Amino acid sequence: MSDLTIITTSDGSHSLFNPLLNETYHSVHGAIQESQHVFIQQGLKYWLAHNPSKDIRILEIGFGTGLNAFLTLLDLQNSGYRIYYESWEAFPLPIDLAVQLNYPIQLGAIDVFAQLHQSEWNAFVSITPEFILYKRLGDILKDPLPGADSFDLIYYDAFAPSKQPQLWTFDVLKKVVDAMSPAGVWVTYCAKGQLKRDLKSLGLTVETLTGPPGKKEMVRALR
Ligand SMILES: C[S@@+](CC[C@H](N)C(=O)[O-])C[C@H]1O[C@@H](n2cnc3c(N)ncnc32)[C@H](O)[C@@H]1O
C-alpha cells in the first residue's frame, strides 16, 4: 500500500489512488461529496429518521482514509446520539500519509481526524464521549463478523466489483447481512444489477437511489 498517492477530486477534497488496482478510494467527482451523499445523507440520516433509538451501531467495510467515520462523527457531534462505529480494514494506511489528507482543512476538527487514525487497532477507543471507534484490523473475506443483530447501519465501501469482485460475492454479502439488526439499513455507492439481485435474495428490500454528482445511481437496502 506504500505506492498510494494523494489525488485531489473535483470538490477540492483529497482521495487516494491505488496503482495496483488502478482505482481511487472515492469518486474523482468529489470524495467528500460522495461520502456525504451515499453514507451520511442516504444512510445515516435515513436510519435516524426511521428509528427512535439514540444508540446506533455502524459497520463499515473499508476504513481507508477514515472519511466516513470522520463525517459521521462530525454530523452527530452534540446531537445526543451514542455511536458505536466498527470499521474493518485489511490494509491500513501509513499514518504519515493519512494525516496529509485535507479533510480536516475542509471540515475542521484537525485533532479528531488525527485521533481516528492514531487510535489503536482492535480496541474500543472513545474518540469523543459519544463516539466509540473500533478499528478492526482484519480481512472481511476470512474473519468472522459478530452474530445477528450487531449493526444498525452498514457502510459498504469496498473497492468496486470490477476491481475486487471477491468483496461482492453472495457469501460475503450474506455474512454482512447476517450481522444486521432487524431494522438495519445498508448503503453503498455501487448499483450493479448482481448486487441488487443478491441483496434481494438475502431478503432485503432494495432501493436504487440517485447517486452523488458524477454517478447515476447508488443502492440502499433495508432489512
Ligand atoms: C474504496 S476504499 C474506501 C475506504 C474508506 N471507506 C474511505 O472512505 O477511504 C476500500 C477499502 O477497503 C479496504 N479493503 C480491501 N480489501 C479488504 C478486505 N478483504 N477486508 C477489509 N478491508 C479491505 C481497502 O484497503 C480500502 O481501504
Side-chain angles (χ1 to χ4, degrees):
M1 287 283 162
S2 55
D3 291 337
L4 295 172
T5 51
I6 293 181
I7 59 162
T8 301
T9 66
S10 297
D11 66 359
S13 61
H14 282 162
S15 186
L16 295 172
F17 176 69
N18 178 328
L20 285 179
L21 293 176
N22 188 28
E23 179 72 322
T24 55
Y25 276 52
H26 306 95
S27 162
V28 293
H29 301 288
I32 289 182
Q33 257 183 186
E34 178 185 47
S35 292
Q36 189 70 41
H37 176 83
V38 175
F39 299 104
I40 304 301
Q41 209 54 44
Q42 303 294 10
L44 181 63
K45 302 273 197 212
Y46 180 90
W47 191 89
L48 297 180
H50 291 83
N51 290 278
S53 171
K54 284 283 182 188
D55 292 286
I56 179 163
R57 302 159 300 168
I58 300 174
L59 170 68
E60 175 179 44
I61 303 305
F63 181 73
T65 63
L67 177 57
N68 293 332
F70 191 40
L71 287 172
T72 302
L73 185 155
L74 293 179
D75 198 80
L76 293 182
Q77 230 168 11
N78 305 318
S79 63
Y81 280 94
R82 291 171 297 272
I83 306 104
Y84 171 66
Y85 194 102
E86 180 166 326
S87 189
W88 282 56
E89 179 55 64
F91 310 102
L93 301 185
I95 289 188
D96 56 344
L97 180 67
V99 295
Q100 290 177 48
L101 294 164
N102 69 357
Y103 306 138
I105 295 169
Q106 305 230 336
L107 302 165
I110 291 179
D111 293 352
V112 169
F113 186 68
Q115 253 183 290
L116 292 175
H117 282 283
Q118 286 158 357
S119 68
E120 217 180 308
W121 289 91
N122 299 330
F124 299 95
V125 180
S126 284
I127 303 294
T128 67
E130 310 80 34
F131 191 97
I132 309 294
L133 177 66
Y134 187 93
K135 288 191 300 184
R136 170 72 199 248
L137 184 56
D139 184 340
I140 192 66
L141 302 176
K142 296 185 189 144
D143 303 335
L145 272 174
D149 197 5
S150 295
F151 301 103
D152 304 302
L153 177 59
I154 311 289
Y155 293 168
Y156 206 82
D157 200 11
F159 287 122
S162 56
K163 306 292 176 168
Q164 282 206 304
Q166 66 276 24
L167 284 163
W168 301 86
T169 63
F170 184 85
D171 288 348
V172 174
L173 298 175
K174 180 174 187 314
K175 184 164 150 177
V176 176
V177 168
D178 284 348
M180 286 168 79
S181 61
V185 172
W186 164 303
V187 273
T188 184
Y189 65 88
C190 175
K192 287 260 181 293
Q194 189 59 52
L195 169 70
K196 293 193 252 185
R197 286 190 289 278
D198 286 345
L199 291 175
K200 272 183 201 157
S201 310
L202 288 165
L204 303 193
T205 302
V206 177
E207 299 176 304
T208 305
L209 307 174
T210 305
K215 284 198 171 177
K216 204 169 144 216
E217 295 174 337
M218 61 162 283
V219 159
R220 179 168 63 209
L222 316 172
R223 199 128 206 223

